[in-house]
Amino acid sequence: MLRVKRGCVAFLMLGLFARAAIGGPRKVIIDTDPGTDDAMAIMLALNSPEFDVRALTVVPGNVTAAQGLENALRMVSLADRCDILVAGGAQHPLFQKLVTAEFWHGKNGLANVELPPSKCKKDPRWGPDLIIEMVHANPHEITLVPIGPLTNIALAIEKDPSIVPLVKEVVIMGGSITGGNVNASAEANIANDPEAAQIVFQAGWPLTMVGLDVGDKTLLTRKHIEAFKKNPGPVSDFMYKVADFLIGLSEKFGETGTPMYDPLAVGVALDSTLVKAPAMHVDVETRGEFTRGETVANRRGANERNVLHHFPDGDRYVIEGLDKVEPNAKVCTEVNAEKFLQMFVSRIQGK
Ligand code: RIB
Ligand code: CA
C-alpha cells in the first residue's frame, strides 16, 4: 500500500510541477470603473482560459464608487462567478473632484441595461487592502489590469510599497502619446486622477500602457456583434446590448465602430503579440494649464544636458550632450486590431 501511495504522491507532485512549469492560468486582479467597455473587458477576461480572475476592485470614474460596485456585483452574478472577490475601494480621486461619464456609458454605467440583482456578495475588504493581501499571498504571480482611474493602485502602493517587486506585471488601459479624448492632451483614466497615475508610472514595476494610440484603432462594428445575435446566451446578449449602445453613440459622432479601450488592455495581457510596445519613459503632467493628465512619453530615451555658462555678453545655458532616460513603461503604438476583435467575439459569443 505504501509503495502505491508513494507512486500517487509522486505523480501528483509531477503534475503540479508540470502545471507550474507550463504556467497554469494567470492570476489576475482587474481594477475597474464599470463602465460599458469595462463590462466588455471583464467578460472577455472571465471567458479566457488563460486567466484565473481572482478579484475585481472597483474605483470611481465612469460612475460613482457605489454604482460601480453594484455593476461589478451584477456582472459576476450574470457570469455565475460568485467565486470572484468584488471589493469597493476609493470613493474619489486623490486630490480632485470626480468626473463621472454617464454621458458615454448610460445613466447606470452599463448602457442603461438593467441586469438582474446580484446573487454574489461584496468582499468586506477595501480594494487597495485586497490588492496588497493578494499580492503578498501570491508573490510574483499576480497580473494587475487597471482599466479605470489609477486611484486604488496608487493607494495600494502608498500603503505598502513592498508590493511593487512582488507584482508579476501591470497592464493598464490609460494614457495617450497622440492626444487626449477628454481634451487635447489627456485620456480619461489619467485625467480623472493624474497624481495617482504619476505614482503608478514611477513605481518601477513592469508596466504596459494600452492607450488611445491603439484603442482608437480597434473599433468594434455592427458586423462583429452580429455573431452575438447568432449565438445567444446571457452574457453575449448583455454584450450585444452594451455594444449596440456604444456603436450607436459612435455613429452619432460619425464613426462606424466603438473603440475597445478596456477590452484591448485585457487582450494585451492575454497576448502581448497583439501590439508593438516600445519601451519609453513616461511622466504624467499634474500642473499644466492645458496638459494636466497628459502622459508625456520620451520616445528618444534621452534629455539634452544644458550647462550654465558665464560669457562676457551674459549668462546662458549651452547644450553639452544627452542624458539617457530610463524607460518605465512599454507604450503600445501599433495593434493587430482584427485579430483582437476576432478573439473578443469568439470568446464571448454563445456564453
Ligand atoms: O479613455 C477610456 C477609458 O475611460 C476607459 O477605461 C473607459 O472605461 C473610461 O474609464
Ligand atoms: Ca474603464
Side-chain angles (χ1 to χ4, degrees):
M1 267 310 276
L2 191 56
R3 192 183 298 278
V4 170
K5 268 194 181 162
R6 276 209 191 112
C8 291
V9 169
F11 183 76
L12 183 67
M13 291 304 287
L14 191 65
L16 288 174
F17 282 128
R19 181 185 159 102
I22 59 174
R26 300 252 305 270
K27 295 186 177 102
V28 173
I29 297 174
I30 299 175
D31 190 70
T32 175
D33 60 333
T36 48
D37 60 327
D38 300 69
M40 295 196 284
I42 289 164
M43 292 308 179
L44 173 61
L46 299 193
N47 288 286
S48 294
E50 303 88 340
F51 274 4
D52 170 10
V53 179
R54 293 296 186 91
L56 302 183
T57 51
V58 178
V59 66
N62 289 325
V63 291
T64 62
Q67 183 67 58
L69 181 59
E70 179 60 25
N71 290 347
L73 285 166
R74 290 192 181 215
M75 284 194 281
V76 293
S77 181
L78 181 79
D80 205 15
R81 290 296 307 276
C82 286
D83 60 297
I84 294 173
L85 304 176
V86 178
Q91 297 300 300
H92 52 74
L94 296 182
F95 299 108
Q96 69 182 40
K97 283 204 181 316
L98 176 64
V99 177
T100 55
E102 293 84 354
F103 178 84
W104 296 111
H105 295 267
K107 284 194 185 61
N108 70 351
L110 293 181
N112 301 320
V113 175
E114 202 54 44
L115 292 178
S118 181
K119 306 184 294 289
C120 312
K121 295 281 169 270
K122 73 174 182 151
D123 187 284
R125 287 168 284 189
W126 187 51
D129 285 338
L130 183 57
I131 291 169
I132 290 166
E133 282 181 40
M134 292 187 74
V135 168
H136 281 296
N138 304 276
H140 309 294
E141 293 185 63
I142 297 281
T143 294
L144 288 179
V145 184
I147 53 176
L150 292 164
T151 316
N152 283 340
I153 311 301
L155 287 165
I157 296 171
E158 292 299 299
K159 187 165 184 179
D160 182 358
S162 73
I163 64 168
V164 169
L166 299 178
V167 167
K168 183 182 177 67
E169 71 166 328
V170 184
V171 181
I172 75 163
M173 190 284 137
S176 171
I177 61 173
T178 50
N181 59 353
V182 300
N183 55 34
S185 55
E187 177 279 325
N189 285 338
I190 310 299
N192 229 332
D193 200 333
E195 284 78 10
Q198 178 66 344
I199 289 168
V200 172
F201 272 93
Q202 306 319 317
W205 46 15
L207 186 145
T208 301
M209 179 181 119
V210 186
L212 303 181
D213 318 283
V214 287
D216 284 332
K217 296 173 189 165
T218 309
L219 303 181
L220 186 74
T221 65
R222 294 199 179 284
K223 172 176 68 66
H224 294 114
I225 66 171
E226 276 318 300
F228 296 157
K229 296 295 275 182
K230 289 192 192 110
N231 299 283
V235 170
S236 51
D237 293 353
F238 172 48
M239 290 291 94
Y240 181 87
K241 289 173 187 161
V242 167
D244 180 53
F245 170 91
L246 287 170
I247 295 168
L249 207 49
S250 298
E251 286 164 344
K252 280 199 191 115
F253 290 89
E255 301 291 338
T256 54
T258 184
M260 293 291 269
Y261 297 131
D262 290 345
L264 184 57
V266 168
V268 171
L270 282 165
D271 177 4
S272 60
T273 67
L274 284 168
V275 292
K276 285 211 175 95
M280 302 181 192
H281 185 89
V282 177
D283 281 295
V284 178
E285 179 58 67
T286 57
R287 287 180 288 190
E289 181 182 352
F290 303 107
T291 54
R292 176 170 162 81
E294 180 173 7
T295 44
V296 183
N298 191 315
R299 302 176 213 206
R300 296 168 186 261
N303 289 332
E304 287 182 348
R305 185 182 333 112
N306 308 327
V307 178
L308 184 62
H309 285 255
H310 307 288
F311 295 100
D313 61 355
D315 294 357
R316 70 171 186 274
Y317 285 91
V318 175
I319 297 169
E320 296 200 350
L322 291 174
D323 291 331
K324 185 170 166 36
V325 177
E326 280 308 313
N328 59 0
K330 287 190 278 187
V331 178
C332 298
T333 54
E334 291 176 49
V335 58
N336 184 338
E338 200 50 38
K339 182 178 178 187
F340 167 72
L341 292 163
Q342 290 310 321
M343 170 204 266
F344 174 71
V345 169
S346 62
R347 291 181 182 213
I348 297 285
Q349 64 179 327
K351 297 293 183 197

